[in-house]
């Protein structure tokens, strides 16, 4: 007779194995780097003693590669929060400004989609609400893969765009704002209970493109957590049941993040200020006119290669954020 706790024990065993693998993925690269460094030191001494230019060139080449590997290991060591290894739900919300902000929201969603593709992450559009004329009013995308949340959490906040508007016949410069929110997908063993008495469920037809079936049936699901007012929506699947399950997963993640940030008193750019998607709250500015510059207001990291950034080259901004957060933690601990 099978142990009644068989499946629970299986899940626990799998989680332990996953944690061991994650720890090994941090420890083993460090050991390999130490071995490579020792070997390079020996080669350097031999090259200098024998005045062997070829050996010294080889040392220089390998040292450059080693530096990149050290940077990668350093980044992983900064991703030490329990949820950093998790998948992520990323949402964009257009601010005031109508078509301009909706178009900017679409541009940002495309940027994150391209970044995730370059990094080898899986992507799934959970829900999207089209703008009246162009772009999107809001959208949520699930990004799946190791450390997806750890990197994407750097993007939470208001993003500001300055450009000559393609929608302005007068060719004037416009400023647009979009809020980005990122929450981790929770593991099953993280305790965030959803009380059905606290939930309001609404079912509706899916909006926008998606074929006759999704528009003909009430498959889209919207859940509202009444105590907090947090609302999520899912319309990615044809099945109402699947959409409801994804929506509940997303709501659990948002509630977990909400509670965590309440404890840390860091709600300023996540939920309470969502209505203030405007000047003074931005974490990053993207200026396309009259000059080209993308600058993070928290870390001061910047680049003039705006096109590359919008094509998904945002990892340097994420890495700068992780270093900045570590410095803040270290400084607070020293105080």
């Amino acid at each position: 007779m099978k142990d009644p706790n068989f499946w629970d024990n299986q899940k626990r065993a799998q989680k332990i194995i996953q944690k061991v693998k994650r720890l090994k993925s941090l420890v083993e690269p460090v050991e390999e780097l130490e071995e490579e460094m020792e070997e390079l030191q020996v080669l350097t001494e031999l090259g200098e003693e024998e005045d062997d230019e070829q050996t010294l060139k080889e040392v220089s080449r390998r040292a450059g590669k080693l530096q990149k590997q050290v940077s990668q290991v350093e980044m992983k060591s900064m991703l030490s929060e329990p949820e950093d290894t998790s998948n992520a739900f990323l949402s964009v919300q257009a601010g005031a400004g109508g078509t301009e902000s909706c178009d900017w929201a679409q541009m940002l969603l495309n940027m994150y989609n391209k970044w995730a593709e370059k990094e080898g992450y899986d992507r799934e559009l959970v829900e999207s609400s089209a703008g009246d004329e162009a772009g999107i009013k809001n959208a949520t995308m699930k990004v799946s893969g190791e450390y997806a949340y750890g990197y994407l959490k750097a993007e939470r906040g208001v993003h500001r765009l300055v450009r000559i508007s393609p929608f302005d016949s007068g060719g004037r410069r416009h400023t647009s704002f979009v809020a980005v929110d990122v929450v981790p997908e929770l593991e099953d063993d993280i305790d965030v209970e959803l009380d059905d008495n606290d939930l309001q469920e609404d079912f509706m037809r899916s909006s926008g493109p998606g074929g006759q079936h999704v528009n003909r049936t009430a498959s889209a699901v919207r859940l509202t957590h009444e105590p907090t007012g947090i609302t999520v929506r899912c319309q990615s699947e044809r099945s109402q049941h699947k959409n409801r399950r994804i929506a509940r997963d997303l709501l659990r993640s948002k509630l977990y993040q909400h509670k965590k940030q309440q404890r840390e008193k860091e709600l300023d750019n996540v939920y309470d200020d969502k209505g203030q998607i405007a000047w003074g709250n931005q974490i990053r500015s993207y200026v396309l006119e009259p000059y080209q510059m993308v600058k993070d207001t928290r870390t001061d990291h910047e680049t003039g290669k705006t096109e590359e950034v919008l094509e998904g080259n945002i990892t340097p901004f994420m890495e700068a954020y992780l270093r900045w957060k570590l410095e803040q933690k270290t400084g607070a601990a020293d105080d």
Side-chain angles (χ1 to χ4, degrees):
M1 182 177 177
K2 187 178 286 186
D3 182 351
N5 297 320
F6 175 80
W7 291 114
D8 287 340
N9 292 335
Q10 281 278 89
K11 289 176 70 174
R12 290 192 192 97
Q14 288 175 356
K15 291 185 183 301
I16 291 171
I17 291 170
Q18 288 172 356
K19 287 178 181 179
V20 170
K21 284 182 178 179
R22 288 170 186 167
L23 289 172
K24 287 179 71 175
S25 72
L26 291 174
V27 173
E28 289 178 353
V30 173
E31 293 174 343
E32 292 171 4
L33 290 175
E34 288 177 344
E35 291 177 7
E36 176 71 0
M37 196 173 296
E38 290 173 1
E39 190 172 332
L40 288 181
Q41 287 176 341
V42 172
L43 283 174
T44 301
E45 291 172 2
L46 287 173
E48 290 176 345
E49 286 176 6
E50 300 178 12
D51 197 21
D52 186 343
E53 186 177 342
Q54 195 65 30
T55 298
L56 293 175
K57 282 184 179 179
E58 174 66 11
V59 169
S60 179
R61 184 189 68 80
R62 286 171 62 177
K65 185 178 178 182
L66 181 66
Q67 188 174 8
K68 290 181 180 178
Q69 292 172 328
V70 168
S71 178
Q72 291 172 350
V73 171
E74 181 188 20
M75 284 301 107
K76 279 196 173 184
S77 70
M78 293 181 190
L79 298 171
S80 57
E81 295 292 327
E83 62 268 30
D84 282 343
T85 59
S86 303
N87 302 331
F89 289 104
L90 180 143
S91 302
V92 296
Q93 172 71 53
T99 301
E100 290 290 339
S101 292
C102 289
D103 189 54
W104 176 219
Q106 181 70 71
M107 290 170 65
L108 276 178
L109 187 67
N110 291 343
M111 180 183 79
Y112 292 124
N113 191 51
K114 290 174 181 177
W115 171 82
E117 183 179 15
K118 289 178 181 179
E119 297 297 322
Y121 291 116
D122 293 328
R123 292 94 61 212
E124 177 187 359
L125 188 63
V126 174
E127 67 91 15
S128 179
S129 177
D132 294 333
E133 296 180 34
I136 53 176
K137 294 177 181 177
N138 54 69
T140 298
M141 176 173 67
K142 181 180 178 181
V143 182
S144 301
E146 197 170 39
Y147 293 104
Y149 174 74
Y151 282 104
L152 283 171
K153 67 183 181 182
E155 300 304 297
R156 188 188 296 124
V158 176
H159 295 244
R160 167 180 172 254
L161 173 70
V162 180
R163 64 171 175 173
I164 299 296
S165 170
F167 306 101
D168 187 332
S169 58
R172 289 169 293 188
R173 194 162 66 241
H174 285 248
T175 300
S176 309
F177 299 91
V178 168
V180 175
D181 192 11
V182 184
V183 295
E185 182 182 40
L186 296 188
E187 298 285 349
D188 291 338
D189 58 350
I190 295 180
D191 184 23
V192 177
E193 292 295 331
L194 288 182
D195 187 342
D196 289 340
N197 294 324
D198 292 336
L199 300 182
Q200 177 183 324
E201 295 187 350
D202 297 297
F203 303 98
M204 63 212 75
R205 293 181 183 180
S206 298
S207 60
Q212 292 181 347
H213 177 85
V214 294
N215 290 311
R216 192 168 62 236
T217 61
S219 59
V221 177
R222 182 175 64 214
L223 297 180
T224 301
H225 185 251
E226 294 182 340
T228 61
I230 296 173
T231 299
V232 300
R233 175 186 165 111
C234 181
Q235 63 180 48
S236 64
E237 301 289 340
R238 290 187 173 189
S239 164
Q240 185 186 93
H241 175 73
K242 290 181 179 178
N243 282 332
R244 186 174 184 273
R245 176 178 54 78
I246 295 172
R248 287 178 72 91
D249 287 345
L250 176 54
L251 183 57
R252 285 181 70 245
S253 295
K254 291 215 172 201
L255 286 173
Y256 173 77
Q257 190 73 1
H258 181 71
K259 290 176 181 178
K260 180 182 177 187
Q261 289 169 335
Q262 277 186 321
R263 289 196 301 269
E264 297 173 354
K265 297 181 180 179
E266 293 179 354
L267 280 168
D268 50 320
N269 275 330
V270 183
Y271 294 106
D272 287 348
D273 288 345
K274 278 290 179 66
Q276 299 178 18
I277 307 174
W279 184 275
N281 294 308
Q282 68 268 11
I283 62 159
R284 193 177 302 152
S285 291
Y286 305 70
V287 181
L288 306 186
E289 294 287 347
Y291 55 90
Q292 296 204 337
M293 179 69 70
V294 180
K295 182 173 181 177
D296 196 291
T297 60
R298 302 161 300 181
T299 65
D300 288 334
H301 183 78
E302 63 182 47
T303 179
K305 299 177 180 179
T306 56
E307 187 173 341
E308 289 186 11
V309 170
L310 294 175
E311 286 296 313
N313 185 24
I314 55 176
T315 300
F317 285 93
M318 296 172 170
E319 292 177 345
Y321 171 82
L322 291 171
R323 291 193 180 94
W324 174 73
K325 286 295 288 183
L326 184 63
E327 288 171 4
Q328 281 199 324
K329 277 187 179 179
T330 304
D334 291 342
D335 292 342

